[in-house]
Amino acid sequence: MNRSIKKYWPLFVLPTLTAFAIGFIWPFVWGIFLSFCKFTTVKKIKIVGLANYTKIFSDSSFVDALKFTSVFSIVSTILINVLAFTVALLLIRGIKGTNIFRTVFFMPNLIGGIVLGYIWQILLNGLLSKWELPLLALNEKYGFIGLLVLMSWQQIGYMMIIYIAGLQNVSSDIIEAAKIDGAGSFQTLFKVQIPMVMPSITICTFLTLTNSFKLFDQNLSLTGGEPAKKTQMLALNIYETYYSRSGAQWKGIGQAKAVVFFLLVVVISLIQLKITRSREVQA
Amino acid sequence: MNKKSSKKGINMILTIIFSVIAVIYLYPIFMIISNSLKIESAISTKSALSLPTLDSFAGFSNYIYGIQKMNFLSSFFYSLYITVSSVVLIILCCSMCAWYISRVDSLLSKILYYLCVFSMVVPFQMVMFTLAKTADTLKLNTPYNICIIYLGFGAGLAVFMFTGFMKSMPMEIEEAAMIDGCSPIQMFFRVVAPITKPTMISTAILETMWVWNDYLLPTLVLDIKKYRTIPMDIQYFRGSYGSVQMGPMMACIVITIIPVIVLYLFAQKYIIEGVIAGAVKG
């Protein structure tokens, strides 16, 4: 059987493989090559070795963006997961209206990042001006909080769905057994339920962490990096380096930044997976 | 008995608390609808939170203006066309590819599978410049064939999800079909595809959510003067501050989110199952 399918590989594999080569493999390899070059158009390319990489860290906007992104990712990951887990835990009690609440909390996920950013910009600026505080674009602290509120609003519902599915998979026998052995509800939560849903926690922290770290649309539309690039995150910083700065060297530096960004995402994902996977238990 | 009634009391309080939160949760959407019904002079930062009054009520004039002047219908059409063509292509090609990967044990299968998993971690900024240039060179820069780019960049997730499911499918059914004289093509469309339907729906939902809302890829690949998708449209008009009229802008935002919300209310079961399936595979 194996062999007869194998003969048909041009039909089964070739379309995807071709598109994958055009849409991912070639741009990726070429991107790595260009990070070692100075170029403005793709026709005038000069290899400069590691020069682009050494210039990245003398560009203070990149270092600032890295700091902002790291702090934001950690805070938002913790906030979103704690809130989503709490909501999930309360909603599996079977209270009245559970289905409606689930529907409402998940809904913001379907709205795109650009649109979400503008809705929240109008709303938050309305609130801030009512309280006579500086607007989003003028104060980096409110920009940070605004992004945090926006991301929580968008992502809590998604993570809640995953946690509900995980919690419902914990068989009631185990919880019953724990209760008979004299565990209180807090002990049941921390010693039984949380260890049992560790796979859900792994995937949710992975998703929130990478989503926050790679955030672009919401950042662009909510604050646009204002004031003075203080709320600019890494993805937006790379985009600006590429497309908004004049000067022959910037495209190469932008590409080098993108490579560093990519490596950071890989390292963070691997560390995060390793930490949470090691805590997963078998029932 | 006492314990039971106290549990009931707690549940009642929880329902009330969650109802309040749900109302707050819906408020941003309500606010944008209320603003889209105001006349232009009544829209300002400060009054964003207040309802339209008798004097400032504009009826649907913002909607009519937005649709006519901003060419919103063409953006809507492009978004719809790109999303449907890309998702159909992704589901068809990637399920076929994934079946090959899960049934043929060769070096090609292994390399392709690991490349797909790898591609899911790579941030878009890493390839944005070179991808846009490649698309230009190959003339893949119109709404009618950008789906090939989406197939390439979206293949990772789809192949990963399909392979996960197909590896757990029993081989016996296919072996039986084979003995009955099925060719691999017939086997795929008559036997494998129907069994894979739930995964196809889940994957289609995840990919639709991505393509419909995607901003950066079409911005870099398409010619913004000729073709704009909905997210591009909103960023384009909002980016040029001052000259833009806020009322029609917000009317366009409302037209953008209403169909999505209506679709969600009907297909909620599938969407939520899709999200859970995606998480389990990950």
Side-chain angles (χ1 to χ4, degrees):
Chain A
M1 172 157 138
N2 219 325
R3 211 174 293 154
S4 64
I5 302 172
K6 212 169 177 176
K7 263 192 290 182
Y8 282 88
W9 76 270
L11 180 72
F12 283 102
V13 182
L14 204 58
T16 309
L17 187 62
T18 315
F20 193 55
I22 297 171
F24 178 73
I25 301 172
W26 168 244
F28 183 80
V29 175
W30 194 17
I32 289 185
F33 168 71
L34 284 182
S35 72
F36 299 105
C37 301
K38 186 173 166 179
F39 61 97
T40 43
T41 62
V42 281
K43 292 212 174 82
K44 278 193 209 152
I45 292 173
K46 204 176 107 196
I47 295 178
V48 291
L50 287 169
N52 288 331
Y53 287 90
T54 52
K55 278 183 201 141
I56 292 177
F57 291 96
S58 54
D59 177 6
S60 68
S61 75
F62 185 77
V63 182
D64 288 345
L66 180 60
K67 276 185 210 151
F68 186 87
T69 311
S70 312
V71 174
F72 177 77
S73 305
I74 293 167
V75 175
S76 69
T77 302
I78 295 170
L79 186 73
I80 291 169
N81 282 288
V82 168
L83 289 175
F85 189 81
T86 314
V87 173
L89 208 56
L90 295 173
L91 282 186
I92 55 162
R93 294 167 63 113
I95 60 170
K96 267 206 187 88
T98 299
N99 282 335
I100 300 172
F101 298 141
R102 210 177 57 166
T103 307
V104 170
F105 294 151
F106 184 79
M107 202 169 60
N109 266 291
L110 301 156
I111 306 172
I114 294 283
V115 176
L116 278 181
Y118 283 133
I119 295 177
W120 276 92
Q121 191 189 48
I122 296 164
L123 177 61
L124 291 174
N125 277 338
L127 276 178
L128 288 171
S129 68
K130 204 163 208 166
W131 297 330
E132 297 182 338
L133 294 166
L135 298 184
L136 280 178
L138 302 171
N139 186 307
E140 56 180 297
K141 206 172 88 197
Y142 297 129
F144 181 84
I145 296 171
L147 274 173
L148 211 55
V149 172
L150 165 57
M151 283 303 274
S152 307
W153 189 68
Q154 189 189 9
Q155 305 225 310
I156 282 176
Y158 198 98
M159 303 309 148
M160 173 200 76
I161 295 288
I162 300 175
Y163 281 131
I164 288 179
L167 283 166
Q168 278 169 342
N169 271 341
V170 180
S171 84
S172 50
D173 296 355
I174 301 177
I175 295 173
E176 207 64 31
K179 288 232 167 94
I180 290 167
D181 288 346
S185 36
F186 270 100
Q187 268 178 316
T188 320
L189 175 64
F190 285 101
K191 298 266 163 73
V192 182
Q193 280 172 303
I194 290 183
M196 290 297 286
V197 294
M198 220 42 213
S200 305
I201 296 176
T202 304
I203 185 69
C204 285
T205 43
F206 177 79
L207 287 174
T208 40
L209 193 64
T210 50
N211 281 346
S212 300
F213 203 79
K214 296 198 275 190
L215 196 68
F216 179 83
D217 290 3
Q218 287 87 333
N219 190 206
L220 177 71
S221 56
L222 188 74
T223 67
E226 295 297 318
K229 293 187 184 173
K230 286 229 174 77
T231 60
Q232 194 177 55
M233 297 179 67
L234 280 175
L236 187 58
N237 181 271
I238 293 167
Y239 179 79
E240 290 230 308
T241 313
Y242 242 114
Y243 294 103
S244 312
R245 288 200 184 177
S246 52
Q249 75 276 33
W250 287 112
K251 280 208 166 34
I253 297 176
Q255 189 61 50
K257 281 180 180 177
V259 174
V260 172
F261 181 48
F262 151 68
L263 291 174
L264 282 172
V265 172
V266 171
V267 170
I268 290 171
S269 316
L270 289 178
I271 293 174
Q272 186 270 333
L273 286 180
K274 194 152 193 179
I275 292 174
T276 46
R277 277 268 149 85
S278 68
R279 296 183 187 211
E280 285 179 16
V281 289
Q282 296 290 318
Chain B
M1 201 61 209
N2 206 357
K3 207 172 176 186
K4 224 176 196 174
S5 70
S6 87
K7 199 185 166 193
K8 241 184 184 169
I10 293 172
N11 282 358
M12 198 62 214
I13 294 167
L14 277 175
T15 304
I16 295 167
I17 294 172
F18 272 119
S19 305
V20 174
I21 299 174
V23 170
I24 298 172
Y25 232 74
L26 290 175
Y27 181 72
I29 294 167
F30 173 75
M31 178 217 65
I32 205 88
I33 296 175
S34 110
N35 272 305
S36 73
L37 297 172
K38 288 183 196 166
I39 54 170
E40 197 61 33
S41 59
I43 300 172
S44 69
T45 312
K46 226 172 192 158
S47 67
L49 303 180
S50 49
L51 288 168
T53 60
L54 267 180
D55 295 329
S56 63
F57 186 67
F60 288 102
S61 64
N62 285 330
Y63 287 84
I64 296 161
Y65 184 92
I67 289 171
Q68 285 175 343
K69 290 279 159 70
M70 287 170 150
N71 234 343
F72 189 75
L73 284 182
S74 83
S75 310
F76 196 89
F77 167 75
Y78 286 136
S79 270
L80 193 66
Y81 185 85
I82 292 173
T83 308
V84 172
S85 61
S86 305
V87 173
V88 168
L89 200 67
I90 289 174
I91 297 301
L92 180 69
C93 295
C94 293
S95 60
M96 292 173 84
C97 180
W99 189 53
Y100 184 93
I101 290 177
S102 65
R103 292 296 178 256
V104 176
D105 192 23
S106 70
L107 193 64
L108 175 72
S109 305
K110 276 200 189 100
I111 292 176
L112 200 55
Y113 180 71
Y114 284 109
L115 270 177
C116 283
V117 175
F118 173 71
S119 80
M120 288 195 291
V121 198
V122 176
F124 183 68
Q125 278 71 22
M126 175 67 211
V127 296
M128 64 177 179
F129 178 75
T130 44
L131 179 62
K133 284 280 174 263
T134 313
D136 268 350
T137 319
L138 298 171
K139 297 275 174 285
L140 295 174
N141 52 2
T142 71
Y144 306 106
N145 49 24
I146 196 178
C147 53
I148 295 173
I149 302 288
Y150 271 114
L151 171 60
F153 206 73
L157 175 76
V159 169
F160 180 69
M161 280 189 64
F162 282 127
T163 314
F165 178 80
M166 285 167 175
K167 276 198 174 143
S168 68
M169 250 161 59
M171 292 272 259
E172 283 79 8
I173 307 170
E174 290 158 47
E175 272 159 14
M178 179 95 178
I179 292 164
D180 289 346
C182 243
S183 77
I185 299 170
Q186 281 176 318
M187 181 132 63
F188 180 80
F189 287 103
R190 300 239 173 117
V191 180
V192 178
I195 304 177
T196 324
K197 212 169 141 197
T199 313
M200 285 188 177
I201 295 174
S202 311
T203 314
I205 283 163
L206 292 179
E207 301 280 1
T208 307
M209 280 165 65
W210 165 54
V211 180
W212 178 262
N213 291 324
D214 197 19
Y215 164 72
L216 195 52
L217 195 153
T219 309
L220 294 176
V221 172
L222 299 178
D223 182 355
I224 198 160
K225 286 187 198 98
K226 270 198 237 160
Y227 314 106
R228 279 195 290 269
T229 63
I230 292 174
M232 284 163 81
D233 220 15
I234 285 168
Q235 173 66 14
Y236 183 79
F237 283 115
R238 195 59 214 286
S240 48
Y241 237 114
S243 61
V244 69
Q245 289 184 284
M246 291 295 289
M249 188 66 240
M250 292 199 234
C252 284
I253 291 184
V254 175
I255 310 173
T256 310
I257 55 184
I258 293 297
V260 180
I261 290 174
V262 171
L263 189 74
Y264 165 61
L265 292 179
F266 280 108
Q268 204 197 132
K269 189 177 143 238
Y270 294 107
I271 293 175
I272 287 177
E273 274 169 14
V275 168
I276 295 169
V280 173
K281 298 280 151 50

